[in-house]
Amino acid sequence: MTARSTGGMTQGACPAIALQCEYLSSRGGGLPASVLPVAARLGGLKPHLVTFDPPPGGLTDAPVFQAKKARAPMRCDAHKALRFHGVQLVHTHGLWTGLSTAALNWAQRTGGPTLVSPHGMLDGWAMTRSRWKKRAAMALVERRHLNSATCVHALTEHERSTLRTLGVTAPIAVVPNGVSQPDPLALSPPAWLDRPTLLFLGRIHEKKGLLPLIAAWSKASGRLEGWQLAIAGWEDGPCDVRAEAARCEGRIIFPGPLYGDDKQAALTHASAFVLPSHSEGMPIAVLEAMAHGRPVLMSAACALPEAVDAGAAARISTDHDAMAVSLTQHLNDADWLGEAGKAGRKLVAERFDWDKIADLWRAIYLWALGEAPRPAAIDG
């Protein structure tokens, strides 16, 4: 497929692009952390953010349009931003919202280029949640949205394969998430981090695998002398995590949501990081943990086999019995903890630096606008 141009650009013009994402506040989990760093690094382009929930003040210099959801499913008023701000390209992050419909309608009206980033929302586990609503949305909007796109974005080769299996015919670009290098300023450990700590940091949601983690911790804690499990984050929907933790034999604490220096201090001083998810795109929390030199224990769904290959992470099962064995083995291995931390810091510096990734996104956008050659990251 040849990239399409809106025809409205003049030589040397600075194209305006719309980056759409349902939530750009903390409610968005890892999505804001994958959208905002790129938006801040797009020299020569003018990003405009379209969202239902804007980021807090000071997190972005880009103009923000706060869209409103309509009562009808898959509808919103984002078309106002796309029509009246000189937008020449629309990149929609995530699926299943009216932002998809707005992008599809904009492309049909203008012939302009669109990009779509599913962020793991089409993987097997995710598709079993609200199954019938997603099937209807796929039939009515999302299949056309994906297949008419100038380019679809996959975070990993595995996600690219999933997209092709689902029948996506548009070109696909594989571009990973990134991570910013930690501030070198020394931060004191928080008061709750007073012993060896296995840290989970993110949304407290069933897909994160916290219930099997708690069951595994209960089994393993007797062989992990002095350790505690810290589940830091915010509750997103109904969840039995706290009730299960109260019945656990091992020590489990809930420090609450962590942001800014509190988050950096926790990542700096935790002994290890864990993410036993059932479904992920490419978890920025894991990249951040490795950037801080934390050894990582993660499920296969985290889709970072290169971290395992580099010795920065160990793959754990989502079965609580098998997970307990892995926790006992790795958290009692001081040599592995030390070497994995060093390997993780090296890996993210080499392969997941935001500046390099933003350069690739800029090249993809310019190609989609008909202003640059096709980047090698794009297939099909």
Side-chain angles (χ1 to χ4, degrees), residues 53-363:
D53 197 358
L59 281 188
T60 182
D61 294 326
V64 179
F65 176 85
Q66 184 170 2
K68 295 180 180 178
K69 297 180 181 181
R71 290 185 178 181
M74 300 294 290
R75 297 286 176 180
C76 69
D77 67 351
H79 63 277
K80 295 178 182 178
L82 304 185
R83 180 173 294 181
F84 298 114
H85 290 274
V87 170
Q88 293 168 292
L89 177 150
V90 176
H91 183 178
T92 303
H93 292 265
L95 304 173
W96 321 124
T97 76
L99 298 175
S100 296
T101 305
L104 184 61
N105 291 343
W106 177 86
Q108 292 172 335
R109 180 175 58 83
T110 66
T114 60
L115 285 81
V116 187
S117 294
H119 289 283
M121 295 182 185
L122 291 170
D123 78 10
W125 189 93
M127 289 296 288
T128 64
R129 270 52 193 171
S130 302
R131 177 182 303 176
W132 298 110
K133 289 182 179 179
K134 289 178 180 177
R135 284 188 178 183
M138 180 65 80
L140 293 172
V141 175
E142 294 296 5
R143 190 167 298 281
R144 286 185 296 135
H145 183 213
L146 290 160
N147 284 335
S148 66
T150 308
C151 186
V152 176
H153 166 220
L155 289 162
T156 64
E157 290 292 343
H158 175 76
E159 188 175 19
R160 189 212 298 259
S161 176
T162 297
L163 291 168
R164 291 296 185 218
T165 299
L166 290 171
V168 173
T169 58
I172 296 176
V174 177
V175 184
N177 279 329
V179 66
S180 299
Q181 295 304 309
D183 193 317
L185 293 177
L187 295 171
S188 300
W192 54 266
L193 222 165
D194 59 351
R195 65 193 67 199
T197 300
L198 177 62
L199 175 67
F200 166 88
L201 198 158
R203 289 188 298 148
I204 299 177
H205 185 277
E206 63 170 331
K207 88 165 191 172
K208 298 297 183 179
L210 293 173
L211 293 179
L213 173 61
I214 290 170
W217 191 255
S218 187
K219 289 177 176 289
S221 59
R223 298 184 294 277
L224 294 170
E225 185 176 355
W227 280 77
Q228 66 180 359
L229 170 62
I231 299 176
W234 63 100
E235 296 183 13
D236 183 14
C239 190
D240 296 327
V241 168
R242 289 183 181 271
E244 289 299 316
R247 291 190 284 267
C248 179
E249 294 183 10
R251 177 180 169 87
I252 300 177
I253 62 171
F254 290 85
L258 300 176
Y259 305 106
D261 285 350
D262 291 335
K263 176 180 175 181
Q264 301 302 319
L267 288 169
T268 297
H269 294 285
S271 303
F273 186 88
V274 64
L275 184 56
S277 279
H278 298 294
S279 173
E280 291 287 341
M282 177 180 283
I284 287 181
V286 168
L287 299 179
E288 290 177 331
M290 291 193 296
H292 284 81
R294 297 308 95 204
V296 172
L297 297 159
M298 64 183 184
S299 61
C302 292
L304 275 165
E306 53 267 65
V308 178
D309 294 342
R315 187 173 289 121
I316 58 174
S317 172
T318 55
D319 171 79
H320 61 84
D321 288 323
M323 193 192 304
V325 173
S326 295
L327 294 178
T328 302
Q329 174 188 344
H330 289 94
L331 299 184
N332 281 321
D333 187 342
D335 291 338
W336 179 81
L337 292 171
E339 293 303 315
K342 294 175 186 176
R345 187 179 281 117
K346 181 174 183 289
L347 178 66
V348 296
E350 292 175 351
R351 299 188 56 178
F352 299 102
D353 178 74
W354 267 132
D355 290 335
K356 297 176 184 177
I357 291 167
D359 286 344
L360 178 53
W361 273 120
R362 184 175 183 277

Side-chain angles (χ1 to χ4, degrees), residues 9 14-18 44-48 85-90 106 369:
M9 291 176 59
C14 187
I17 64 173
L45 298 171
K46 295 190 295 184
H48 295 255
H85 290 274
V87 170
Q88 293 168 292
L89 177 150
V90 176
W106 177 86
L369 289 161

